[in-house]
Amino acid sequence: MKASEATRLYFGYAADRVDLDDRMRKLLLTPKREVQVQVAIETDNGEIETLIGYRVQHDDSRGPMKGGLRFHPDVDLDEVRSLATLMTWKNAVVNIPYGGAKGGVCVDPKLLSRKELERVTRKFIDQIHDVIGPREDIPAPDMGTNHEIMAWIRNQWEKYHGFNPACVTGKPAEHYGAEGREEATGRGVGILAFKLLGRLGRKPKDTRVAIQGFGNVGTHAAKFLHEADFCVVAISDVSGAYYRPEGIDLPRALRYTIEHEGSLKGFAEADNITNEQLLGLDVEMLIPAALGGVINKDNVDQIRAEIILEAANGPIHPDADIVLHERGVTILPDVLANAGGVTVSYFEWVQNLQHYKWGLNRVRQELDHVLSEAFEQVWQEANDWQVSLRTAAYIIAIRRVHRATLLAGI
Ligand code: NAD
């Protein structure tokens, strides 16, 4: 199943519940604009490299469109389209005034020098600068891009349009970046795990957690959960998984990655297991925070966790989602679980537009407020309709986008 088919499937379940007619389904699913451009650069050794870049703008009925920019060799139009659509629902679930978009360049950034990476970024912005901007479509970091790349984007966009740091978010602090943006997605996962546990009548100290992926999202989620008294028993990255039934010493694991270029490779204070084994561990809570599609029909029978938080985008294949739902597993869907990042991106945009900087405490308080409110609404909706949290989240999102579309006039 292609990435965009999974997003359409979940949309369909929720659209059936709210009796959305076929015309409106077509309208809400069709992207507003899809841009494909050639990103040609001169490499350091004088060759010409031609890459393909995409920006898909899905829907702007609730505000300017917003979504990350991914540099990855698997980027294609279908994936970008699917992620742009997902952003529309994500922004609507947490009720921030944005539509959805996503972009990407099909390239492995690890194979580029820093200068080549900068050339790719600037050339891509040369090609799309007239369709992005603070009032139209605001990019942000995603896989393979970071705050430095966002600073290049700002600089390149401003060459055409003049000073306006609100044209991109996830920037460094020196470029009007928000306090707390880096930790926001992982912290949001932690905040939501806490809320969910409260609703399920469980206690953090009795909750063993396994986290797949120890990058930006995984480390900040782990840190928050550890500080909130959850027992994180397993962590992992591309080098493998690390399991200690009594609980991982997280401060040491975090320090280890800082000393080893972000990698857990060689971390000796836990048993070395595989990423596949991590997914099947006997834990109460599983947090996939790395790749899409890691829980699928081949391994779903091995999953023993009763709660899954989708910190990554699309970590559960729809076939497995049905099985887990029927088994009574509580799944907090990606459209809500990882929305902390875009929420703080929204705060950055607000601060840039107002030329007024918030402190970290305010960012954290407002993040807590936005996510808590969204969680309670999704929980309530799921109970009212007797549906999964995923379908409930989509129902809320579709209703908001549908209403905004109707109010504006088609
Ligand atoms: P990252 O690149 O910082 O970290 C990814 C982690 O996954 C790394 O530890 C890496 O080693 C690990 N990994 C890679 N391949 C793996 C494999 N085959 N098996 C196990 N682990 C593997 O990325 P991130 O920003 O933490 O993003 C993680 C996920 O969260 C992605 O799906 C991303 O789309 C999603 N997400 C991120 C944000 C954000 O603000 N960073 C926001 C929303 C969603």
Side-chain angles (χ1 to χ4, degrees):
M1 184 184 286
K2 291 201 288 189
S4 58
E5 283 167 350
T7 321
R8 277 170 180 263
L9 196 73
Y10 294 137
F11 173 89
Y13 293 155
D16 289 346
R17 300 274 170 174
V18 293
D19 285 333
L20 203 68
D21 68 39
D22 286 346
R23 295 171 318 145
M24 195 46 82
R25 284 180 201 229
K26 192 171 167 193
L27 188 64
L28 295 194
L29 280 174
T30 309
K32 182 182 153 154
R33 181 189 278 142
E34 298 186 346
V35 181
Q36 176 175 325
V37 294
Q38 185 196 60
V39 184
I41 62 146
E42 192 175 347
T43 61
D44 291 349
N45 59 10
E47 300 289 323
I48 301 287
E49 183 83 63
T50 50
L51 308 167
I52 303 291
Y54 307 92
R55 188 76 190 169
V56 175
Q57 300 174 332
H58 173 248
D59 188 279
D60 65 350
S61 57
R62 299 182 62 258
M65 293 164 288
K66 179 113 190 69
L69 177 65
R70 181 173 283 199
F71 286 179
H72 194 275
D74 292 342
V75 163
D76 63 21
L77 182 57
D78 185 73
E79 183 189 63
V80 177
R81 187 185 287 145
S82 160
L83 292 168
T85 314
L86 201 68
M87 286 309 298
T88 299
W89 313 133
K90 193 178 293 185
N91 293 332
V93 172
V94 289
N95 213 5
I96 54 178
Y98 285 140
K102 200 81 176 189
V105 177
C106 179
V107 65
D108 186 348
K110 290 195 224 72
L111 302 180
L112 300 179
S113 70
R114 194 169 167 278
K115 276 282 154 214
E116 288 169 338
L117 196 59
E118 179 173 348
R119 267 177 241 141
V120 168
T121 307
R122 291 186 184 277
K123 194 60 182 282
F124 183 54
I125 297 307
D126 284 342
Q127 307 282 30
I128 66 162
H129 72 87
D130 52 351
V131 295
I132 61 170
R135 292 155 182 251
E136 189 154 14
D137 175 6
I138 307 117
D142 194 74
M143 272 160 71
T145 58
N146 57 23
H147 63 280
E148 190 178 22
I149 293 177
M150 299 306 116
W152 293 333
I153 291 179
R154 174 189 165 207
N155 182 267
Q156 196 66 13
W157 187 88
E158 287 184 342
K159 285 180 183 165
Y160 294 97
H161 304 277
F163 174 82
N164 204 332
C167 64
V168 58
T169 61
K171 303 179 294 291
E174 298 79 359
H175 279 259
Y176 300 83
E179 297 269 357
R181 172 62 186 88
E182 178 122 357
E183 67 176 21
T185 307
R187 188 177 177 84
V189 170
I191 292 170
L192 291 162
F194 202 70
K195 298 274 162 209
L196 183 58
L197 228 55
R199 280 295 189 174
L200 295 172
R202 289 165 175 261
K203 293 196 169 52
K205 71 175 173 47
D206 301 328
T207 307
R208 292 165 301 162
V209 189
I211 303 176
Q212 184 185 56
F214 210 55
N216 175 288
V217 180
T219 51
H220 287 291
K223 197 160 168 267
F224 184 96
L225 293 174
H226 177 72
E227 284 166 8
D229 225 13
F230 287 70
C231 183
V232 179
V233 295
I235 52 178
S236 84
D237 65 9
V238 71
S239 74
Y242 306 84
Y243 175 49
R244 188 169 178 268
E246 312 78 49
I248 301 270
D249 185 338
L250 266 178
R252 286 178 94 109
L254 288 165
R255 214 172 314 127
Y256 187 90
T257 56
I258 292 167
E259 289 161 3
H260 295 84
E261 295 173 354
S263 175
L264 282 167
K265 190 166 189 212
F267 182 62
E269 297 186 38
D271 297 334
N272 204 188
I273 59 172
T274 64
N275 264 289
E276 203 53 39
Q277 285 171 320
L278 175 142
L279 295 173
L281 282 177
D282 177 23
V283 291
E284 283 71 39
M285 183 180 278
L286 178 62
I287 305 185
L291 306 171
V294 290
I295 301 173
N296 47 54
K297 65 175 178 8
D298 296 332
N299 64 2
V300 66
D301 292 336
Q302 275 126 53
I303 305 296
R304 286 192 275 174
E306 295 149 40
I307 305 166
I308 303 178
L309 263 80
E310 290 189 318
N313 284 319
I316 304 178
H317 190 278
D319 294 340
D321 190 67
I322 296 171
V323 177
L324 293 168
H325 181 61
E326 283 171 357
R327 213 197 284 160
V329 176
T330 304
I331 299 169
L332 196 74
D334 49 9
V335 279
L336 176 57
N338 66 31
V342 72
T343 303
V344 175
S345 267
Y346 164 59
F347 299 158
E348 182 172 325
W349 179 75
V350 167
Q351 292 170 67
N352 292 162
L353 292 178
Q354 296 182 343
H355 306 287
Y356 183 76
K357 193 167 171 58
W358 302 359
L360 182 60
N361 280 345
R362 177 163 178 196
V363 171
R364 286 180 169 177
Q365 264 172 21
E366 301 252 3
L367 175 65
D368 194 289
H369 173 71
V370 169
L371 293 183
S372 301
E373 198 165 284
F375 173 79
E376 290 305 330
Q377 287 169 355
V378 170
W379 183 265
Q380 188 63 45
E381 197 79 26
N383 279 319
D384 290 351
W385 289 86
Q386 287 298 301
V387 292
S388 67
L389 294 172
R390 188 189 310 281
T391 301
Y394 272 81
I395 288 174
I396 291 173
I398 291 171
R399 208 187 281 133
R400 286 183 177 146
V401 176
H402 179 205
R403 181 119 184 93
T405 305
L406 286 181
L407 284 169
I410 295 162

Short mmCIF file of all heavy atoms in Angstrom, two decimals, residues 70 83 87 90 102 141-145 181-186 212-219 236-240 262-264 275 288-292 294 310-315 334 337-342, ligand 1:
data_model
loop_
_atom_site.label_atom_id
_atom_site.label_comp_id
_atom_site.label_asym_id
_atom_site.label_seq_id
_atom_site.Cartn_x
_atom_site.Cartn_y
_atom_site.Cartn_z
N ARG A 70 11.83 17.59 3.74
CA ARG A 70 12.59 16.36 3.98
C ARG A 70 13.67 16.20 2.91
O ARG A 70 13.37 16.34 1.72
CB ARG A 70 11.58 15.21 3.94
CG ARG A 70 12.11 13.86 4.18
CD ARG A 70 10.97 12.85 4.27
NE ARG A 70 10.28 12.92 5.55
CZ ARG A 70 9.52 11.94 6.04
NH1 ARG A 70 9.34 10.84 5.35
NH2 ARG A 70 8.93 12.06 7.22
N LEU A 83 2.17 13.05 3.13
CA LEU A 83 2.56 13.79 4.34
C LEU A 83 1.94 15.19 4.37
O LEU A 83 1.63 15.71 5.44
CB LEU A 83 4.09 13.87 4.42
CG LEU A 83 4.78 12.51 4.69
CD1 LEU A 83 6.28 12.61 4.45
CD2 LEU A 83 4.50 12.03 6.11
N MET A 87 -0.53 16.62 7.31
CA MET A 87 -0.32 17.91 8.00
C MET A 87 -1.62 18.70 8.11
O MET A 87 -1.85 19.40 9.10
CB MET A 87 0.74 18.76 7.28
CG MET A 87 2.17 18.30 7.47
SD MET A 87 2.67 18.03 9.19
CE MET A 87 2.46 19.66 9.88
N LYS A 90 -3.37 17.09 10.96
CA LYS A 90 -2.64 17.32 12.23
C LYS A 90 -2.88 18.73 12.75
O LYS A 90 -3.21 18.93 13.91
CB LYS A 90 -1.14 17.10 11.97
CG LYS A 90 -0.31 17.00 13.22
CD LYS A 90 1.16 16.74 12.90
CE LYS A 90 1.42 15.38 12.29
NZ LYS A 90 2.84 15.09 12.11
N LYS A 102 3.84 19.88 2.57
CA LYS A 102 5.08 19.13 2.83
C LYS A 102 5.98 19.27 1.62
O LYS A 102 5.48 19.45 0.50
CB LYS A 102 4.76 17.64 3.05
CG LYS A 102 5.85 16.89 3.77
CD LYS A 102 5.76 17.11 5.26
CE LYS A 102 6.76 16.32 6.04
NZ LYS A 102 6.49 16.40 7.48
N PRO A 141 11.82 22.08 9.59
CA PRO A 141 12.69 20.91 9.43
C PRO A 141 11.90 19.59 9.44
O PRO A 141 10.83 19.51 10.02
CB PRO A 141 13.62 20.96 10.64
CG PRO A 141 13.37 22.25 11.32
CD PRO A 141 12.05 22.76 10.87
N ASP A 142 12.46 18.58 8.80
CA ASP A 142 11.93 17.22 8.85
C ASP A 142 13.15 16.30 8.71
O ASP A 142 14.28 16.76 8.88
CB ASP A 142 10.91 17.01 7.73
CG ASP A 142 10.07 15.76 7.92
OD1 ASP A 142 9.18 15.78 8.78
OD2 ASP A 142 10.31 14.76 7.24
N MET A 143 12.93 15.06 8.34
CA MET A 143 14.06 14.13 8.22
C MET A 143 15.12 14.69 7.26
O MET A 143 14.79 15.11 6.15
CB MET A 143 13.58 12.78 7.69
CG MET A 143 13.14 11.84 8.78
SD MET A 143 12.08 10.56 8.15
CE MET A 143 13.22 9.58 7.23
N GLY A 144 16.36 14.71 7.72
CA GLY A 144 17.47 15.12 6.85
C GLY A 144 17.67 16.62 6.75
O GLY A 144 18.59 17.08 6.07
N THR A 145 16.83 17.40 7.41
CA THR A 145 17.04 18.86 7.42
C THR A 145 17.09 19.32 8.88
O THR A 145 16.58 18.64 9.77
CB THR A 145 15.93 19.62 6.66
OG1 THR A 145 14.66 19.30 7.25
CG2 THR A 145 15.90 19.26 5.19
N ARG A 181 11.80 24.72 20.55
CA ARG A 181 11.33 24.05 19.33
C ARG A 181 11.97 22.67 19.18
O ARG A 181 11.32 21.71 18.80
CB ARG A 181 11.64 24.92 18.09
CG ARG A 181 11.37 24.23 16.75
CD ARG A 181 9.90 23.86 16.59
NE ARG A 181 9.64 23.07 15.38
CZ ARG A 181 9.69 21.74 15.28
NH1 ARG A 181 10.05 21.00 16.34
NH2 ARG A 181 9.39 21.12 14.16
N GLU A 182 13.26 22.61 19.53
CA GLU A 182 14.00 21.36 19.37
C GLU A 182 13.38 20.21 20.19
O GLU A 182 13.25 19.10 19.72
CB GLU A 182 15.45 21.61 19.81
CG GLU A 182 16.30 20.38 19.73
CD GLU A 182 17.51 20.56 18.82
OE1 GLU A 182 17.62 21.63 18.21
OE2 GLU A 182 18.29 19.61 18.75
N GLU A 183 12.97 20.52 21.41
CA GLU A 183 12.46 19.46 22.29
C GLU A 183 10.97 19.20 22.07
O GLU A 183 10.41 18.24 22.62
CB GLU A 183 12.66 19.85 23.77
CG GLU A 183 11.79 21.05 24.16
CD GLU A 183 11.86 21.44 25.64
OE1 GLU A 183 12.83 21.09 26.32
OE2 GLU A 183 10.92 22.11 26.10
N ALA A 184 10.31 20.07 21.27
CA ALA A 184 8.84 20.15 21.29
C ALA A 184 8.12 18.84 20.93
O ALA A 184 7.16 18.46 21.60
CB ALA A 184 8.37 21.26 20.36
N THR A 185 8.58 18.14 19.88
CA THR A 185 7.84 16.94 19.46
C THR A 185 7.95 15.86 20.54
O THR A 185 6.95 15.27 20.95
CB THR A 185 8.35 16.43 18.11
OG1 THR A 185 8.32 17.51 17.18
CG2 THR A 185 7.48 15.31 17.57
N GLY A 186 9.17 15.62 21.02
CA GLY A 186 9.37 14.61 22.05
C GLY A 186 8.68 14.98 23.36
O GLY A 186 8.07 14.14 24.00
N GLN A 212 11.52 3.12 20.18
CA GLN A 212 12.34 2.85 18.98
C GLN A 212 12.72 4.18 18.35
O GLN A 212 11.86 4.98 17.99
CB GLN A 212 11.58 2.01 17.96
CG GLN A 212 12.48 1.67 16.79
CD GLN A 212 11.76 0.94 15.67
OE1 GLN A 212 10.77 1.41 15.13
NE2 GLN A 212 12.26 -0.23 15.32
N GLY A 213 14.04 4.41 18.21
CA GLY A 213 14.51 5.68 17.66
C GLY A 213 14.97 6.57 18.79
O GLY A 213 14.23 6.83 19.74
N PHE A 214 16.26 6.99 18.72
CA PHE A 214 16.80 7.82 19.80
C PHE A 214 17.40 9.07 19.16
O PHE A 214 18.52 9.48 19.44
CB PHE A 214 17.85 7.02 20.58
CG PHE A 214 17.96 7.42 22.03
CD1 PHE A 214 16.85 7.41 22.86
CD2 PHE A 214 19.19 7.79 22.56
CE1 PHE A 214 16.97 7.76 24.21
CE2 PHE A 214 19.32 8.15 23.91
CZ PHE A 214 18.20 8.13 24.72
N GLY A 215 16.62 9.67 18.24
CA GLY A 215 17.03 10.92 17.62
C GLY A 215 16.34 12.08 18.32
O GLY A 215 16.10 12.04 19.53
N ASN A 216 15.98 13.09 17.56
CA ASN A 216 15.36 14.26 18.17
C ASN A 216 14.12 13.88 18.98
O ASN A 216 14.02 14.20 20.17
CB ASN A 216 15.00 15.27 17.05
CG ASN A 216 14.24 16.46 17.59
OD1 ASN A 216 13.08 16.34 17.95
ND2 ASN A 216 14.88 17.60 17.67
N VAL A 217 13.19 13.18 18.38
CA VAL A 217 11.91 12.87 19.05
C VAL A 217 12.12 11.87 20.19
O VAL A 217 11.66 12.08 21.31
CB VAL A 217 10.88 12.34 18.03
CG1 VAL A 217 9.56 12.03 18.73
CG2 VAL A 217 10.66 13.34 16.90
N GLY A 218 12.82 10.77 19.88
CA GLY A 218 13.00 9.70 20.87
C GLY A 218 13.73 10.16 22.12
O GLY A 218 13.32 9.82 23.24
N THR A 219 14.79 10.95 21.97
CA THR A 219 15.56 11.36 23.16
C THR A 219 14.72 12.29 24.06
O THR A 219 14.69 12.12 25.27
CB THR A 219 16.87 12.10 22.80
OG1 THR A 219 16.58 13.14 21.89
CG2 THR A 219 17.90 11.17 22.20
N SER A 236 16.47 2.53 21.30
CA SER A 236 17.16 1.98 20.13
C SER A 236 17.50 3.07 19.13
O SER A 236 16.95 4.18 19.18
CB SER A 236 16.29 0.93 19.43
OG SER A 236 15.38 1.54 18.55
N ASP A 237 18.41 2.73 18.23
CA ASP A 237 18.63 3.57 17.06
C ASP A 237 19.02 2.65 15.92
O ASP A 237 18.85 1.42 16.02
CB ASP A 237 19.62 4.71 17.32
CG ASP A 237 21.03 4.22 17.61
OD1 ASP A 237 21.30 3.01 17.45
OD2 ASP A 237 21.88 5.05 18.02
N VAL A 238 19.55 3.21 14.85
CA VAL A 238 19.85 2.38 13.68
C VAL A 238 20.91 1.32 14.00
O VAL A 238 21.00 0.29 13.34
CB VAL A 238 20.23 3.30 12.48
CG1 VAL A 238 21.58 3.94 12.70
CG2 VAL A 238 20.15 2.57 11.16
N SER A 239 21.70 1.53 15.07
CA SER A 239 22.76 0.58 15.43
C SER A 239 22.21 -0.65 16.16
O SER A 239 22.93 -1.64 16.33
CB SER A 239 23.80 1.26 16.33
OG SER A 239 23.29 1.45 17.63
N GLY A 240 20.96 -0.62 16.62
CA GLY A 240 20.40 -1.75 17.37
C GLY A 240 19.59 -1.25 18.56
O GLY A 240 19.40 -0.03 18.72
N GLY A 262 25.94 11.17 18.51
CA GLY A 262 24.50 10.91 18.43
C GLY A 262 24.12 9.44 18.39
O GLY A 262 22.93 9.12 18.35
N SER A 263 25.12 8.53 18.43
CA SER A 263 24.81 7.10 18.28
C SER A 263 24.87 6.35 19.61
O SER A 263 25.67 6.65 20.49
CB SER A 263 25.81 6.48 17.31
OG SER A 263 25.60 5.08 17.25
N LEU A 264 24.04 5.30 19.72
CA LEU A 264 24.06 4.43 20.89
C LEU A 264 25.01 3.24 20.67
O LEU A 264 25.16 2.40 21.56
CB LEU A 264 22.65 3.89 21.15
CG LEU A 264 21.65 4.84 21.83
CD1 LEU A 264 20.23 4.27 21.71
CD2 LEU A 264 21.99 5.05 23.30
N ASN A 275 16.13 -4.29 16.82
CA ASN A 275 14.99 -3.38 16.78
C ASN A 275 13.68 -4.17 16.69
O ASN A 275 12.67 -3.76 17.24
CB ASN A 275 15.13 -2.43 15.60
CG ASN A 275 15.75 -1.12 16.02
OD1 ASN A 275 15.12 -0.32 16.71
ND2 ASN A 275 17.00 -0.90 15.66
N PRO A 288 7.09 3.95 18.89
CA PRO A 288 7.91 3.98 17.68
C PRO A 288 8.20 5.42 17.29
O PRO A 288 7.28 6.19 17.00
CB PRO A 288 7.03 3.28 16.63
CG PRO A 288 5.66 3.20 17.18
CD PRO A 288 5.68 3.61 18.62
N ALA A 289 9.49 5.79 17.32
CA ALA A 289 9.87 7.19 17.07
C ALA A 289 10.97 7.25 16.02
O ALA A 289 11.87 8.08 16.10
CB ALA A 289 10.33 7.85 18.37
N ALA A 290 10.91 6.33 15.03
CA ALA A 290 11.96 6.34 13.99
C ALA A 290 11.32 6.39 12.61
O ALA A 290 11.20 7.46 12.00
CB ALA A 290 12.86 5.13 14.15
N LEU A 291 10.86 5.21 12.14
CA LEU A 291 10.44 5.09 10.73
C LEU A 291 8.96 4.78 10.61
O LEU A 291 8.32 4.33 11.56
CB LEU A 291 11.21 3.94 10.08
CG LEU A 291 12.72 3.97 10.15
CD1 LEU A 291 13.28 2.66 9.65
CD2 LEU A 291 13.26 5.14 9.33
N GLY A 292 8.44 4.94 9.38
CA GLY A 292 7.07 4.54 9.08
C GLY A 292 6.99 3.04 8.85
O GLY A 292 7.99 2.39 8.52
N VAL A 294 6.79 0.31 10.62
CA VAL A 294 7.59 -0.71 11.35
C VAL A 294 6.71 -1.77 12.01
O VAL A 294 7.16 -2.89 12.26
CB VAL A 294 8.52 -0.07 12.42
CG1 VAL A 294 9.65 0.70 11.76
CG2 VAL A 294 7.76 0.82 13.39
N GLU A 310 2.20 6.81 18.59
CA GLU A 310 2.85 6.95 17.27
C GLU A 310 3.65 8.25 17.20
O GLU A 310 3.16 9.26 16.68
CB GLU A 310 1.80 6.94 16.16
CG GLU A 310 1.13 5.60 15.94
CD GLU A 310 0.27 5.60 14.69
OE1 GLU A 310 -0.44 6.60 14.43
OE2 GLU A 310 0.31 4.61 13.96
N ALA A 311 4.88 8.21 17.72
CA ALA A 311 5.71 9.42 17.67
C ALA A 311 6.22 9.67 16.25
O ALA A 311 6.33 10.80 15.81
CB ALA A 311 6.88 9.28 18.64
N ALA A 312 6.53 8.59 15.52
CA ALA A 312 6.91 8.72 14.10
C ALA A 312 5.64 8.92 13.27
O ALA A 312 4.53 8.70 13.77
CB ALA A 312 7.65 7.47 13.65
N ASN A 313 5.81 9.32 12.03
CA ASN A 313 4.66 9.41 11.13
C ASN A 313 4.39 8.04 10.53
O ASN A 313 5.29 7.44 9.94
CB ASN A 313 4.92 10.43 10.02
CG ASN A 313 4.79 11.85 10.52
OD1 ASN A 313 3.88 12.17 11.29
ND2 ASN A 313 5.70 12.72 10.10
N GLY A 314 3.16 7.55 10.71
CA GLY A 314 2.75 6.28 10.10
C GLY A 314 3.54 5.06 10.48
O GLY A 314 3.82 4.22 9.63
N PRO A 315 3.88 4.85 11.76
CA PRO A 315 4.68 3.66 12.11
C PRO A 315 3.87 2.36 12.07
O PRO A 315 4.45 1.29 12.02
CB PRO A 315 5.15 3.95 13.54
CG PRO A 315 4.12 4.87 14.11
CD PRO A 315 3.64 5.71 12.95
N ASP A 334 -0.50 9.31 15.15
CA ASP A 334 0.52 10.32 14.81
C ASP A 334 -0.05 11.73 14.67
O ASP A 334 0.59 12.70 15.08
CB ASP A 334 1.27 9.91 13.52
CG ASP A 334 0.34 9.50 12.36
OD1 ASP A 334 -0.88 9.68 12.47
OD2 ASP A 334 0.87 9.00 11.34
N ALA A 337 -0.18 12.53 18.34
CA ALA A 337 0.98 12.19 19.19
C ALA A 337 2.23 13.03 18.87
O ALA A 337 2.98 13.39 19.77
CB ALA A 337 1.31 10.70 19.05
N ASN A 338 2.47 13.33 17.58
CA ASN A 338 3.71 14.08 17.28
C ASN A 338 3.43 15.53 16.87
O ASN A 338 4.28 16.17 16.25
CB ASN A 338 4.59 13.33 16.28
CG ASN A 338 3.95 13.23 14.90
OD1 ASN A 338 3.20 14.10 14.47
ND2 ASN A 338 4.26 12.15 14.19
N ALA A 339 2.26 16.04 17.26
CA ALA A 339 1.88 17.41 16.85
C ALA A 339 2.55 18.50 17.69
O ALA A 339 2.37 19.69 17.40
CB ALA A 339 0.36 17.57 16.90
N GLY A 340 3.33 18.11 18.71
CA GLY A 340 4.01 19.12 19.53
C GLY A 340 4.97 19.98 18.71
O GLY A 340 5.13 21.18 18.96
N GLY A 341 5.61 19.36 17.71
CA GLY A 341 6.60 20.09 16.90
C GLY A 341 5.95 21.21 16.10
O GLY A 341 6.40 22.36 16.13
N VAL A 342 4.88 20.88 15.40
CA VAL A 342 4.24 21.92 14.58
C VAL A 342 3.57 22.97 15.48
O VAL A 342 3.48 24.14 15.12
CB VAL A 342 3.27 21.32 13.54
CG1 VAL A 342 2.00 20.78 14.15
CG2 VAL A 342 2.92 22.36 12.47
P1 NAD B 1 16.05 11.79 13.76
O1 NAD B 1 16.72 11.66 12.44
O2 NAD B 1 16.53 12.83 14.72
O3 NAD B 1 16.10 10.40 14.56
C1 NAD B 1 15.71 9.19 13.98
C2 NAD B 1 16.17 8.05 14.88
O4 NAD B 1 15.70 6.82 14.30
C3 NAD B 1 17.67 7.93 15.01
O5 NAD B 1 18.01 7.54 16.32
C4 NAD B 1 18.02 6.81 14.03
O6 NAD B 1 19.21 6.12 14.36
C5 NAD B 1 16.81 5.93 14.21
N1 NAD B 1 16.62 5.00 13.11
C6 NAD B 1 16.81 5.20 11.79
N2 NAD B 1 16.59 4.08 11.11
C7 NAD B 1 16.25 3.16 12.01
C8 NAD B 1 15.91 1.79 11.93
N3 NAD B 1 15.90 1.15 10.76
N4 NAD B 1 15.59 1.14 13.08
C9 NAD B 1 15.61 1.78 14.26
N5 NAD B 1 15.92 3.06 14.41
C10 NAD B 1 16.25 3.73 13.29
O7 NAD B 1 14.51 11.98 13.40
P2 NAD B 1 13.38 12.61 14.33
O8 NAD B 1 13.29 14.07 14.04
O9 NAD B 1 13.56 12.14 15.74
O10 NAD B 1 12.08 11.96 13.68
C11 NAD B 1 11.67 10.64 14.01
C12 NAD B 1 10.27 10.41 13.45
O11 NAD B 1 9.37 11.37 14.00
C13 NAD B 1 10.13 10.54 11.93
O12 NAD B 1 9.15 9.62 11.51
C14 NAD B 1 9.61 11.95 11.74
O13 NAD B 1 8.89 12.10 10.54
C15 NAD B 1 8.69 12.06 12.95
N6 NAD B 1 8.43 13.45 13.36
C16 NAD B 1 9.46 14.27 13.75
C17 NAD B 1 9.17 15.57 14.15
C18 NAD B 1 10.26 16.49 14.65
O14 NAD B 1 9.93 17.61 15.09
N7 NAD B 1 11.52 16.09 14.63
C19 NAD B 1 7.86 16.04 14.14
C20 NAD B 1 6.83 15.17 13.73
C21 NAD B 1 7.15 13.88 13.35
#
